[in-house]
Structure formats: C-alpha cells, structure tokens
Amino acid sequence: MKPSLSNMLSQQVASSSFFDEMIATDGSPRPAYREVFRFLDELNGLQFTELQHLADMSLYTQGITFTVYSDARGTEKIFPFDLIPRLITHLEWQTVEQGVSQRMRALNAFLHDIYHDQKGLKDGVVPTRLIQGSAHYCREMTGLDVPGNVYVHIGGIDLIRDQDGAFLVLEDNLRNPSGVAYLVENRAVMARVTPELMHRYRVRPVHHYPQLLFDKLAGLSTVADPTIAVLTPGVYNSAYFEHSFLASQMGVELVEGQDLLVDNDVLYMKTTGGLKRIDVLYRRVDDDFLDPLVFRQDSMLGVAGLVGAYRAGNVVIANAMGNGVADDKAVYAYVPDIIRYYLGEEPILPNVPTYLCARKEQREKVLDHLSEMVVKPTDASGGYGLLVGSHASKQELAVFRERILARPDDYIAQPIQQLSTHPTFIRDGDGGQLAPRHVDLRPFAMCGAGGEVTVLPGGLTRVALTEGSLVVNSSQGGGSKDTWVLYPEGDHA
Amino acid sequence: MLSRTAQSMYRLGRHIEHAENITRLLDVTHRMSLESTLYSDVDVWSPLIAVTRSEEAYLAQYDSLEQAHVYSFLLLSQDYSGSVLSALRAAREEARTMRERISEEMWAHLNGMYLEMQRPPTVSQVLAQGSAAFNTRIQIFCNAFHGLTDNTMVRAVSWNFLRLGRFYERAVMTCRILEVKHHLLDAGPTGTVAALDLHQWEALLRSVSGYEAYRRLYRARIVPSRVMELLVCDDRFPRSVHYCLWQMQVALENLLTEGKNNPVLAALMRQALKLVQQEAVRDGILHQGLAAEMGTLQAALQAVADCIHETYFDVLTVVAADGVARKIAMQQPQQQQ
C-alpha cells in the first residue's frame, strides 16, 4: 500500500532544519493543524490533484491574473494558488496585529516629522544623508499638512518566521502594497473548493476589506459624501486585476490618467454626463508618474496639476506622496530606533539582522560572506535585481561584488533568512505530492484619518514553489496560499 | 459613467459584431469559390478586401489574392487590427478594463475564447476542416455573447452603449457589402437575373443571414429591388440598415437619462432614418446608382458616429444650439516653484 500523503510529509519535514508551519520537529502535526492533516489523509493524491485543478480553472476563467513584465508577449498568468491553507492561531495573530499596528504608527509619525520639523534627523535617529539622498524624498510634501497627519493609509508589512517560529519583519511596503485582492479571492476559491475543510475551523473573515477601505478613504475627506476613485496605470500593469477588483468592490470608478483633468486646482473625471469632481483619489500609480508638471514629464499615467490640487487641499491622495523615504531598504535598518523614538515603545516585531553596505566594516563583512547573504538594492522592489548568495553562480557573485563596491549606498545585505516552510502541493505530471516550501506573510494594515490602525485578520501568504528557493515574489515564480487567522475558540495552541 | 468606459462599451459591441461579419463574409466567399467553374472569370476574393477597407494592409503583406492568404489575413492575422483574431482579442481587452461593468457570464465567455485563441489554429488547419467549422464557431460565440448581454445585463447606460456599437457596426457592414456588389444591380436593375448573378445575389443574402428571410417573404425568385428592400428598408429583419438605425435610436433615447440632451445628435439620427425609407432608397439608386447611394448612407452613419463621440466620449467638446462643435480650452495650471 502507498504511504499516505501526510506520512510522507512528516518524514520530509522531520529531516529539515527549518521551522515548519504545520509539522513539529517530532513529525506530528502542530495542534492547530490537526484537522488539515486529517483532511489530507482522507484525500488520496488523485482527489487532491482534481481539487487543485478545480481551483486553478476557477482563477483562470475569472481572469484573476497578473502580467509578467519580463515576458515579451505581456502574458497574463494566474498567481499559482496552493490549496493547503496556512493557519495562524489567535495568540500568534495578536503579536502580528500589535506589531504591524505599532510599525504603521511609528512610520506615519516618522514621515510627518521628515516633512515638517525633522526632529528625528536632528536627534540622529536616522542619518540625514540617508533621507536627503533618497530618490523617494518628495520636496512637494515639505511643510504640507495632510488629513490626520496620516501618510501611510494602506501598508503591507512583509513578515517571515525564524527557526524558532518567531515573526520578524523583512520589509515595509508603504507606497503601493499589492496583493490584497488575491487574499480575498483566495478565500473565495477555498470556500468553493474545500468547504468541508473550512467547516472544521472558525476562520476570521477577510471579504470585508473593500468596505473597510471605502470607510477609511471616505473618512479622509471633509466632504459629506465624497466621490472616490481608484487610479490605475492601466490594463497592462501587473496589478491591474487588483485595481479593478478594489474599484468594483467599493463601487467607485476605476480611472486612468486620461480620464482625469485638473482645472483651477480641482480634480475632475470626464464622464458621459460631463466633468465630475473627485474628492479622494486612491492611487495605484507610483509617485514619479502622478503629475508630469512635478515629476516625470513624459508620464501619461497621471494628470497635470494633480499635485497642485493636492496642495490646495481640494483632493486627498492615498497613499501620500514621498512615502518611499520611509520604506527604503536602508531606512529599514533604523525602524526599531524609529519606533523607540517616536512612540517610546519597544518594537514588538524585530527586524532581521541587516548590514548597510554604505558602512565600511559592515560592507567588508558582506563581501567576505557574500555566498551566505541576500543582497538587495535599496531603491527597487518586486524581487528584481536581488542576489541570493547561496543560489548564485560564481559569475553572479562577482557581478554583485563589483556593483556593491561601485555604489555601496545602493545596497543592503541580510544573512540568508531561514524562512519557515509550509507543506505545499507540488505538481508532478498528472499527480503530485506534498512537500515543504518556504513561505512569508504580508498582512495589510489601514490607517484612518484619526490615526487608528486596522489590520485585516489574514494576510497574503506567498510561497516559493521551487524547491529550496527563498524568493516568494509572484514575478519570480512564487505562489500564494489562503491564510486563516483563527478565532480564539478552537485555538488549540 | 466615465467617458472612457462608455467608449469601451461601444467598441466592445463593434468588435464582436465585426468578428461575426468577417466570418460570414468568408463563409459565403468560400462557398462561391467552391463553384469556381461558374466563377472562373470572377475574382471572388478581392471584394472581401474592399468591404473591410484593408487593401493597403493586405498588399503590404501579400502580393496575390488567394484563399489561404485572405483567410490568414482576415481571420488569423496578429498584425492586422481588423482580423477576427484581433477583434476578439481587442474585445476581451476592452472588457478587461471594465469588468465591473459587464456581467460575470459575459466576462467568462470572452475570456474563455481569449484563452482558446492563445493557441489559434493555422490557416491550413482551418481550411482542412472546410473552414465552415471555425467560422461557425466564431459566429455562435458572437451570438451567444449578444444573448448573454441581453439576458444578464441591466438595461442601464453600459447596455445602451454596447448596443449602440453593435448596431452601428452592423449597419456599416451591410452598407459596404451592398456597395461592393453594386455591379450586379447596375448591370440590370429590374430585369431578369442571370444564373451567375443569381448565385451572387444568393451569396449576398447568405452573408447577412438573409436567404431564409428573403425566401419566406418573397419566395424563391430573387429580384434585386426586393433584396435591397430586405437589407436596407425592412425594419423587421435584424440585419437590415433600417433595423440597426432604429436600435441605435432606441439606445440614444435611453441614454437621455445620462443628463445630456444633444438635439443635433437626435436630428442626425432622424436624418439617417429618412434615408432608409423605401422610396428614398429607390429614388437614390435610380438617380445616383447603388454604390453612391450606399456612400450617402455611410456618410449619414458616420455623422451620427462622430456626434456620439463628441457628445459622450469627448466631454470637452460642447455642441452649441447652432450645431457647431466647439472645444473648451482648458487652462493648465502653471508649474509652481
């Protein structure tokens, strides 16, 4: 008789040195996962393949896809979805929620300070050079008072778990974090494909995210019933599905730059009934492209005069411009100090150790141990131009060594993280098998005009589908899982 | 509704209708080419290129008119924007920018075809099946789309723009088909129809699904003036110019709730409808010939389309009571330092 799926899995995980989300070191399932484990045992491999196929088709026919830039044909792909859910117990979630919330508050306070008195720079919390030299520093934001002093209305904080299962912050995304639509859609697919598994748990809902977002955005305006619009770069943007999803779920218009017009510092959209004023713009276009009068002149994605309208207080833009100065990978290293300085609190979620290549002694350490480091450029995102030392060829290592030496300020390095693993269905011909794959977690937080932070009880669990790979980005062959944050009861931990 | 979305709806309607029309034309021409002994001296393929207004694009790619080339050009070309494949892709792209405006079923239908056409058949595969299989598949797809549209969409602004596009495209195509066949009528206006011409008239009727309708209304004898009556003037036949114009008028009346009442547009619409009255058509053909008469009709349609554009898609244009369109000059704010 064939060994069961879960047995094979236990053996694989027991011989690994990573923290596994489902299986403890003795090969038995962690308490919260017992029902998932049983569910997998009840299914045989073939049934599982069928379920997985059902889920894929559901995503495909709905067109829940993203565009891969490196592919010349601009091909759309579905974000690979894995059916085995990632569970987070109530206790674990409390830490995540409080830690993410704390980080959002601290970074908002930091941004307000950077664009006003810069006390933190004067007190040496963050080196002035780092802020002034940042490509994301936005002059137009200087001295500008934004509603509620909130800059980061929507943030995505990337978390990983170390060998002991403790959550660490890998990265802050304070500009245009994406992925929340997949999170909501993943849940819908799970409910459709594996309802019997969901019934065995009490999972906190996530489908109300668009309503939460709508309330937060509406609250930013002084107008009683404000007109909200979502600004997208267009259908060829990799996150277009999400933009369209959010607009339609909120019941607001999805606009492109060509739909907009600014007259006398007021933002309008062109409609079949004439011009209509916009009060709140949830923009998913990067700073550089928002307003050709202020930023890149060749940009067709924004609208001329938008910054003027914003500065005149006639439109609220979420997220604020110039947030990149706070989620730069070099500033990241200082976030624990930022939390202590602005909030007077100890960080709840620690950073992963980070080396600044700009500093001679740290740079030398990085170069000496390059094959054990993940090197990241400080001004890019999306996993492009990243070096994972252990998986790099000699040639790639040499290239990065030269790059670091040429522009040390542009790079940071982190020891290769022991991302936790999670059993994942790996396709193999017509069938497939379960195997541990590395995962991270991106919870989404919203900050309203009153400064209150709401963290959606869930998150996007991204999984590196290639064996041993630590890069979870969708653009680099990553997939995702549904993330179940459990209610206190039924918490077995 | 956003002007861009309204225009996308309108284009979506046009793309789907266009794809269907091309496959119909190909089907009919193919059937004619099979009876090639009869038509040995008739070039069956060049009218197709004329109807689609694609001479230049075609000649840039091919130097001879033959079936395989015309098929790969009109059906499967990735480069020519008027091919069936391009129209289906364009339709799906338009839909993608306004998924929240169309029903789930419509999206799934369009997306399913898009996924299928990611690996389109080759010309030889299409022809090996006798080509009808593929063309029928597209025609059924297009009609199913119209069915889904009418059965799942709220009768609101989107629906009206979609229908506006569909019926505009259909009206134009019917005019053009008649235009290229003008030599048939000009040769013998009311007299008896020669065997060769008979086949051509029959093909023409088939290309607009009008053969059965014609037989039922007028029985088997094909009389050119009656064909004209059916395809231009009869408001009961869903592919006639009159029917299309009427549907456009209904859509425009429904759109009055959008708050814009452009009297010029309504006047242009009435004017176009006058042109498809039986007597007007008969007189027109008598005086200036079929080709010119179809030209007049198309010009009237074009005027309506331009006015739709100015009224709904380009909101910075206002039409004053005197009927002259004027662009509003918007002052861009100066850069602040």
Side-chain angles (χ1 to χ4, degrees):
Chain A
M1 209 182 97
K2 265 179 75 176
S4 71
L5 279 172
S6 53
N7 266 337
M8 282 164 60
L9 194 60
S10 296
Q11 283 165 16
Q12 284 192 63
V13 171
S15 61
S16 140
S17 63
F18 298 99
F19 179 87
D20 190 86
E21 301 281 342
M22 188 194 285
I23 316 274
T25 38
D26 64 359
S28 67
R30 297 182 191 281
Y33 273 100
R34 275 180 201 138
E35 288 299 329
V36 175
F37 204 71
R38 199 168 297 153
F39 177 76
L40 293 175
D41 256 346
E42 287 161 15
L43 289 175
N44 60 43
L46 203 62
Q47 276 172 323
F48 199 88
T49 313
E50 273 168 25
L51 288 181
Q52 185 69 52
H53 181 69
L54 216 64
D56 288 352
M57 284 324 291
S58 161
L59 292 170
Y60 238 123
T61 50
Q62 287 182 79
I64 302 177
T65 56
F66 69 94
T67 315
V68 183
Y69 291 135
S70 53
D71 193 318
R73 289 169 58 208
T75 310
E76 294 158 43
K77 293 191 171 159
I78 57 166
F79 192 8
F81 174 65
D82 185 71
L83 269 182
I84 307 168
R86 190 248 189 98
L87 308 188
I88 297 177
T89 64
H90 177 67
L91 264 177
E92 290 167 338
W93 181 249
Q94 280 182 318
T95 311
V96 170
E97 190 174 30
Q98 287 162 11
V100 166
S101 167
Q102 177 190 53
R103 232 171 146 96
M104 287 279 286
R105 284 182 287 124
L107 289 167
N108 265 319
F110 172 66
L111 279 163
H112 182 256
D113 186 32
I114 288 297
Y115 290 118
H116 287 82
D117 302 333
Q118 305 200 327
K119 285 196 199 112
L121 299 187
K122 285 164 196 153
D123 290 342
V125 183
V126 176
T128 307
R129 179 183 49 82
L130 216 55
I131 302 304
Q132 283 174 344
S134 168
H136 298 297
Y137 183 85
C138 178
R139 220 169 27 130
E140 282 68 23
M141 293 297 292
T142 314
L144 185 69
D145 289 320
V146 299
N149 293 336
V150 176
Y151 291 77
V152 188
H153 306 93
I154 296 96
I157 312 291
D158 289 350
L159 305 177
I160 61 170
R161 291 180 95 172
D162 64 13
Q163 289 101 317
D164 305 319
F167 283 100
L168 308 174
V169 177
L170 188 64
E171 199 174 287
D172 303 294
N173 297 282
L174 309 179
R175 283 167 280 167
N176 277 320
S178 61
V180 76
Y182 298 109
L183 181 167
V184 177
E185 285 291 348
N186 283 354
R187 180 65 54 83
V189 172
M190 284 302 274
R192 217 166 16 240
V193 179
T194 60
E196 62 274 37
L197 178 59
M198 276 196 87
H199 276 308
R200 301 186 200 181
Y201 285 95
R202 293 192 58 227
V203 185
R204 293 182 65 177
V206 292
H207 60 82
H208 59 303
Y209 178 84
Q211 284 100 299
L212 283 176
L213 181 62
F214 183 88
D215 286 344
K216 297 276 181 197
L217 292 174
L220 295 172
S221 175
T222 49
V223 179
D225 185 15
T227 301
I228 301 172
V230 177
L231 175 64
T232 174
V235 73
Y236 297 108
N237 184 268
S238 65
Y240 180 79
F241 165 72
E242 175 157 311
H243 307 159
S244 130
F245 174 86
L246 290 175
S248 95
Q249 295 288 314
M250 288 195 289
V252 305
E253 290 290 356
L254 179 65
V255 298
E256 295 179 12
Q258 53 171 313
D259 301 322
L260 301 178
L261 180 138
V262 175
D263 184 45
N264 267 328
D265 283 344
V266 175
L267 178 67
Y268 297 98
M269 56 183 166
K270 305 172 195 168
T271 76
T272 48
L275 296 180
K276 187 166 187 215
R277 183 174 173 156
I278 295 176
D279 304 301
V280 181
L281 189 66
Y282 177 39
R283 52 91 175 210
R284 296 296 297 264
V285 169
D286 289 342
D287 285 6
D288 275 356
F289 299 94
L290 273 183
D291 184 346
L293 293 185
V294 178
F295 304 109
R296 285 178 57 156
Q297 293 180 5
D298 59 342
S299 171
M300 305 289 287
L301 303 177
V303 58
L306 181 59
V307 172
Y310 181 52
R311 288 191 58 96
N314 290 333
V315 62
V316 183
I317 299 179
N319 288 346
M321 287 169 288
N323 283 0
V325 65
D327 72 2
D328 188 285
K329 291 188 176 70
V331 171
Y332 162 85
Y334 298 94
V335 174
D337 289 336
I338 289 174
I339 294 173
R340 289 185 195 101
Y341 180 80
Y342 290 99
L343 304 181
E345 299 171 9
E346 272 306 303
I348 297 167
L349 293 169
N351 271 10
V352 301
T354 303
Y355 303 103
L356 299 164
C357 294
R359 297 195 177 166
K360 190 164 180 291
E361 68 282 10
Q362 297 192 13
R363 176 169 65 242
E364 276 164 5
K365 181 151 189 210
V366 170
L367 292 173
D368 286 348
H369 298 87
L370 203 53
S371 61
E372 300 151 34
M373 298 276 178
V374 177
V375 182
K376 298 175 177 176
T378 54
D379 56 356
S381 58
Y384 295 100
L386 195 110
L387 175 85
V388 180
S390 56
H391 286 66
S393 67
K394 269 191 180 158
Q395 203 184 350
E396 284 170 314
L397 288 174
V399 168
F400 260 80
R401 180 179 298 275
E402 270 174 42
R403 282 193 202 162
I404 292 169
L405 286 170
R407 304 185 67 99
D409 284 6
D410 288 357
Y411 293 94
I412 61 152
Q414 291 160 340
I416 289 174
Q417 287 309 312
Q418 307 301 305
L419 263 65
S420 58
T421 59
H422 195 295
T424 301
F425 183 70
I426 302 300
R427 219 168 286 235
D428 181 13
D430 288 337
Q433 54 167 332
L434 296 181
R437 290 291 183 266
H438 292 290
V439 293
D440 78 346
L441 176 67
R442 176 180 287 184
F444 289 87
M446 283 170 284
C447 190
E452 76 289 351
V453 178
T454 311
V455 186
L456 184 72
L460 186 66
T461 291
R462 297 184 297 178
V463 51
L465 294 173
T466 313
E467 189 170 5
S469 168
L470 296 167
V471 185
V472 295
N473 300 63
S474 58
S475 47
Q476 310 281 309
S480 76
K481 285 171 168 293
D482 193 14
T483 310
W484 293 2
V485 173
L486 304 176
Y487 277 108
E489 300 108 308
D491 194 72
H492 304 269
Chain B
M1 171 183 268
L2 279 181
S3 296
R4 177 173 52 83
T5 313
Q7 194 169 15
S8 276
M9 281 295 168
Y10 178 78
R11 285 192 189 137
L12 174 57
R14 290 192 62 177
H15 287 312
I16 297 289
E17 186 62 30
H18 179 79
E20 183 186 342
N21 284 328
I22 297 291
T23 57
R24 284 177 178 284
L25 285 168
L26 282 172
D27 257 356
V28 171
T29 314
H30 178 66
R31 207 171 309 171
M32 285 173 74
S33 75
L34 290 180
E35 302 169 37
S36 55
T37 44
L38 199 58
Y39 300 115
S40 53
D41 53 347
V42 179
D43 169 17
V44 293
W45 297 109
S46 61
L48 271 189
I49 302 297
V51 169
T52 52
R53 303 278 193 269
S54 58
E55 295 89 341
E56 209 173 306
Y58 182 87
L59 291 174
Q61 282 189 44
Y62 306 100
D63 38 18
S64 66
L65 275 163
E66 54 186 272
Q67 184 180 26
H69 288 169
V70 174
Y71 261 73
S72 69
F73 180 72
L74 287 180
L75 210 53
L76 303 166
S77 173
Q78 313 255 10
D79 307 317
Y80 171 52
S81 62
S83 74
V84 170
L85 202 65
S86 299
L88 292 174
R89 284 203 179 138
R92 190 266 189 177
E93 282 303 293
E94 299 287 359
R96 207 176 145 214
T97 66
M98 47 186 189
R99 280 197 48 187
E100 70 281 7
R101 296 281 182 180
I102 58 175
S103 69
E104 279 293 318
E105 289 90 342
M106 287 161 70
W107 166 253
H109 189 65
L110 284 171
N111 198 43
M113 177 54 92
Y114 168 83
L115 293 173
E116 192 182 319
M117 287 303 135
Q118 287 296 86
R119 278 183 217 84
T122 61
V123 173
S124 39
Q125 281 169 336
V126 169
L127 292 175
Q129 291 176 338
S131 89
F134 185 80
N135 288 338
T136 307
R137 163 101 183 76
I138 301 292
Q139 285 158 26
I140 290 174
F141 167 81
C142 294
N143 281 287
F145 179 81
H146 295 324
L148 285 171
T149 302
D150 290 349
N151 289 333
T152 61
M153 239 181 136
V154 182
R155 299 314 195 241
V157 184
S158 307
W159 187 73
N160 285 303
F161 277 112
L162 217 146
R163 286 177 66 91
L164 210 47
R166 185 209 296 180
F167 287 108
Y168 171 73
E169 181 71 25
R170 188 178 293 175
V172 169
M173 197 53 96
T174 304
C175 288
R176 286 194 194 161
I177 291 170
L178 287 169
E179 184 189 278
V180 290
K181 298 284 181 188
H182 70 92
H183 59 273
L184 287 177
L185 199 64
D186 293 347
T190 46
T192 49
V193 179
L196 174 72
D197 286 356
L198 189 73
H199 279 270
Q200 292 226 33
W201 280 112
E202 191 187 313
L204 188 149
L205 282 167
R206 281 189 199 280
S207 73
V208 294
S209 262
Y211 191 47
E212 288 76 15
Y214 183 91
R215 269 190 326 212
R216 196 152 310 124
L217 288 169
Y218 307 110
R219 286 187 259 162
R221 184 180 298 157
I222 291 183
V223 179
S225 65
R226 289 198 166 143
V227 176
M228 295 303 301
E229 213 166 281
L230 179 69
L231 299 191
V232 180
C233 313
D234 197 323
D235 64 0
R236 297 165 300 173
F237 179 54
R239 305 195 77 86
S240 80
V241 182
H242 191 166
Y243 183 86
C244 295
L245 284 170
W246 173 43
Q247 291 303 316
M248 285 173 72
Q249 192 182 38
V250 170
L252 287 174
E253 274 165 12
N254 293 342
L255 284 172
L256 288 180
T257 53
E258 265 293 89
K260 270 210 168 174
N261 185 2
N262 185 353
V264 179
L265 182 52
L268 286 170
M269 201 66 237
R270 281 195 301 273
Q271 207 171 320
L273 273 161
K274 264 186 212 151
L275 289 176
V276 295
Q277 300 307 314
Q278 216 163 315
E279 277 176 27
V281 174
R282 204 171 44 213
D283 291 352
I285 294 174
L286 213 60
H287 287 117
Q288 56 175 355
L290 177 58
E293 176 64 10
M294 288 304 116
T296 309
L297 249 180
Q298 283 178 72
L301 273 162
Q302 186 63 49
V304 171
D306 289 346
C307 197
I308 290 171
H309 186 90
E310 281 161 11
T311 310
Y312 295 111
F313 306 153
D314 186 0
V315 298
L316 293 187
T317 307
V318 286
V319 181
D322 58 5
V324 181
R326 296 185 178 83
K327 294 263 178 206
I328 302 180
M330 299 301 291
Q331 268 193 335
Q332 300 288 11
Q334 296 300 304
Q335 184 166 12
Q336 297 165 352
Q337 282 298 319

